[in-house]
């Protein structure tokens, strides 16, 4: 169910925001915005002009004020929409865009205690970028961009701002969504930024997990997939590697539910889910090296004959490049000195029996005992430590193809 009470007043406010939408932009205003953005680069050759415009907007977004208004301020994140919620007074078939839900809920909380919550579009930086109306077709036309070029430009600018917003989040992160979608900023940018900064534990989903997707899985697996930590890492949507939003993270975080249902035991299903989490943690970088170690050790106990596959060198280099360019990102923790699995010291083999001290576990729910004591899952079987890692070397593909639409998009286009 939803994590906190949402009053009818909040729902009515969200409905009003959705019904009213943004005021229509006049042609004169669209020209004014475009002149401002084209100043000094409008006469460049088309390809160079588009690149300079992209850099200009990215730098503009990265420079915006996203400081927390109070040390205790929490942050909201949103994606797609809310529909058929069992605990809210929604009309049959009614959908509300999560952007409006997050805004209405934030402002209702701030009316009680000032600066208790924030949402991206309500920050000074969000307002400044919003004033450029980058999703508006008139602005895109005035910028001499095709619709695809204009949408890609807007997506990157808002993604840059979102990355900084996540990097400045220090307290609870409320995710107004049922699950992460690989084509959304929430997956590719915001949750990734939080995880790589060591903030996986502050992510809280405001909508229930999509239980209908998991109906044919073991009860223990359903419980695992509904946990906050797992929901903050995986996605269950099919994807196309020619989609321009496809990244190595898209592939690493994908959990194939049909393959999961075909596994014969709850232990094997749990191992498969944790393997996806381990792949994501590997891309998240040094801050999550201990998680990779712990997850792989648990998988080795649950499925001793299974070979775990983690992202290869090229995918890890891609992820490292994102961490290096993160605006105002906190300094990353120093990498662990030794990896028992060679993922952070490629080519180095270390005997797991003489590896690092036991690691602090994450809060992944387990049926009965925790993973480190997974003999309860396999009575009568002694766990054997063995090399189970296989390095992935496949590189991501990219081509200008429109992304899939597993959920309806909203009027802003940010998640499309």
């Amino acid at each position: 169910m939803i994590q906190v009470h949402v009053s009818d007043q909040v729902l009515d406010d969200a409905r009003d925001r959705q019904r009213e939408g943004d005021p229509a932009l006049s042609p004169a205003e669209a020209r004014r915005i475009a002149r401002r953005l084209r100043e000094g680069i409008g006469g460049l050759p088309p390809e160079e002009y588009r690149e300079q415009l992209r850099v200009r907007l990215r730098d503009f977004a990265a420079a915006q004020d996203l400081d927390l208004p109070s040390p205790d301020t929490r942050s909201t994140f949103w994606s797609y929409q809310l529909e058929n919620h069992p605990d809210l007074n929604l009309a049959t078939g009614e959908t509300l865009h999560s952007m409006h839900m997050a805004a209405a809920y934030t402002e209702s909380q701030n009316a009680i205690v000032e600066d208790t919550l924030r949402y991206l579009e309500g920050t000074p930086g969000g307002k400044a970028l919003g004033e450029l109306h980058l999703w508006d077709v008139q602005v895109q036309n005035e910028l001499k961009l095709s619709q695809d070029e204009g949408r890609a430009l807007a997506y990157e600018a808002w993604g840059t701002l979102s990355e900084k917003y996540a990097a400045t989040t220090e307290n609870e992160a409320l995710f107004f969504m049922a699950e992460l979608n690989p084509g959304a900023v929430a997956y590719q940018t915001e949750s990734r930024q939080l995880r790589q900064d060591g903030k996986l534990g502050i992510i809280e989903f405001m909508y229930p997990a999509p239980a209908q997707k998991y109906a044919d899985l073991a009860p223990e697996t359903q419980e695992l997939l509904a946990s906050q930590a797992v929901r903050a890492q995986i996605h269950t949507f099919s994807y196309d590697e020619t989609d321009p939003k496809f990244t190595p993270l898209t592939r690493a975080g994908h959990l194939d539910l049909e393959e999961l249902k075909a596994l014969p035991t709850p232990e094997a299903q749990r191992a498969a889910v944790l393997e996806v989490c381990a792949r994501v943690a590997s891309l998240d970088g040094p801050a999550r090296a201990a998680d990779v170690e712990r997850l792989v050790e648990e998988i080795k106990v649950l499925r001793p004959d299974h070979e775990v596959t983690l992202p290869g060198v090229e995918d890890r280099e891609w992820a490292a490049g994102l961490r290096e360019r993160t605006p105002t990102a906190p300094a990353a923790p120093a990498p662990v000195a030794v990896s028992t699995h060679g993922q952070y010291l490629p080519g180095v083999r270390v005997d797991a029996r003489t590896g690092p001290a036991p690691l602090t576990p994450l809060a992944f729910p387990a049926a009965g005992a925790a993973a480190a004591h997974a003999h309860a899952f396999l009575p009568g079987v002694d766990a054997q430590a063995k090399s189970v890692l296989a390095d992935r070397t496949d590189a991501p593909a990219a081509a200008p193809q429109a992304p899939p639409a597993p959920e309806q998009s909203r009027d802003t286009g940010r998640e499309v």
Side-chain angles (χ1 to χ4, degrees):
M1 63 175 59
I2 203 161
Q3 301 296 314
V4 295
H5 174 67
V6 174
S7 68
D8 288 343
Q9 183 178 354
V10 170
L11 288 175
D12 288 341
D13 184 10
R15 290 183 179 107
D16 290 342
R17 292 167 183 268
Q18 183 165 306
R19 183 169 50 251
E20 293 169 3
D22 293 328
L25 193 67
S26 70
E29 183 67 8
R31 287 193 295 272
R32 185 193 67 79
I33 293 171
R35 281 197 301 269
R36 172 186 172 189
L37 295 177
R38 287 170 53 87
E39 184 177 359
I41 61 173
L44 295 174
E47 186 173 346
E48 185 178 355
Y49 159 71
R50 289 191 293 270
E51 174 61 17
Q52 289 298 318
L53 182 61
R54 185 186 70 84
V55 171
R56 175 172 289 184
L57 283 168
R58 186 190 63 200
D59 291 347
F60 175 83
Q64 294 309 304
D65 177 13
L66 291 174
D67 292 341
L68 290 173
S70 161
D72 297 324
T73 300
R74 299 172 295 154
S75 302
T76 64
F77 299 80
W78 57 266
S79 181
Y80 291 102
Q81 62 193 24
L82 168 69
E83 58 184 330
N84 301 325
H85 196 291
D87 301 318
L88 296 180
N89 187 24
L90 297 177
T92 303
E94 179 183 11
T95 62
L96 286 175
H97 296 160
S98 293
M99 176 179 69
H100 304 308
M101 284 290 294
Y105 181 74
T106 296
E107 296 194 4
S108 73
Q109 294 298 296
N110 289 341
I112 301 171
V113 179
E114 187 177 4
D115 292 334
T116 190
L117 206 56
R118 65 172 182 165
Y119 67 103
L120 178 61
E121 291 76 13
T123 63
K127 292 176 181 177
L129 188 58
E131 289 173 355
L132 297 181
H133 296 275
L134 296 178
W135 299 108
D136 192 280
V137 174
Q138 293 182 93
V139 173
Q140 295 170 3
N141 290 338
E142 293 291 342
L143 289 173
K144 312 301 182 187
L145 301 174
S146 68
Q147 185 174 11
D148 286 346
E149 291 168 343
R151 289 167 71 88
L153 193 74
Y155 184 89
E156 181 173 0
W158 279 101
T160 299
L161 193 73
S162 296
E163 193 170 39
K164 184 174 181 179
Y165 178 76
T168 59
T169 295
E170 296 295 337
N171 302 299
E172 194 173 35
L174 304 181
F175 273 51
F176 281 79
M177 59 199 75
E179 58 184 324
L180 293 172
N181 185 299
V185 171
Y187 185 75
Q188 293 292 344
T189 299
E190 293 167 337
S191 60
R192 171 184 58 78
Q193 182 67 51
L194 290 167
R195 292 193 312 266
Q196 73 183 33
D197 289 343
K199 300 172 184 175
L200 173 64
I202 72 173
I203 297 176
E204 294 284 340
F205 285 81
M206 295 292 284
Y207 301 164
Q212 70 281 0
K213 282 188 172 184
Y214 311 145
D216 296 331
L217 295 167
E220 301 94 324
T221 308
Q222 294 183 44
E223 181 183 0
L224 179 64
L225 291 173
S227 69
Q228 301 293 323
V230 171
R231 292 173 73 185
Q233 298 180 78
I234 71 165
H235 75 84
T236 61
F237 295 99
S238 60
Y239 61 88
D240 180 357
E241 294 198 6
T242 64
D243 185 329
K245 292 182 182 178
F246 169 83
T247 67
L249 179 59
T250 308
R251 177 174 52 234
H254 180 240
L255 178 67
D256 189 314
L257 290 179
E258 294 306 313
E259 290 183 3
L260 188 65
K261 292 173 184 177
L263 294 175
T265 64
E267 299 79 41
Q269 290 181 359
R270 178 179 176 85
V273 174
L274 297 188
E275 183 169 352
V276 176
C277 293
R279 294 201 299 261
V280 170
S282 177
L283 292 184
D284 287 341
R288 302 202 60 208
D291 292 342
V292 178
E293 302 269 355
R294 185 190 61 78
L295 290 166
V296 170
E297 287 300 323
E298 179 174 352
I299 296 165
K300 290 193 321 187
V301 174
L302 292 170
R303 300 180 74 184
D305 295 325
H306 174 71
E307 185 179 79
V308 178
T309 302
L310 296 184
V313 174
E314 291 184 358
D315 287 356
R316 295 199 306 275
E317 288 177 346
W318 167 85
L322 292 182
R323 293 192 295 274
E324 290 171 1
R325 69 175 185 140
T326 299
T328 68
V336 291
V338 175
S339 167
T340 61
H341 305 291
Q343 290 305 304
Y344 290 94
L345 293 174
V348 176
R349 299 177 61 86
V350 181
D351 190 335
R353 291 170 296 180
T354 60
L359 302 164
T360 303
L362 275 177
F364 289 105
H373 307 287
H375 297 81
F377 287 113
L378 300 170
V381 177
D382 293 327
Q384 299 179 0
K386 58 185 293 186
S387 178
V388 295
L389 296 183
D391 208 22
R392 290 195 64 150
T393 57
D394 45 332
Q401 195 68 14
E407 302 183 62
Q408 286 187 358
S409 62
R410 304 163 329 285
D411 50 342
T412 63
R414 269 188 57 203
E415 301 296 338
V416 180

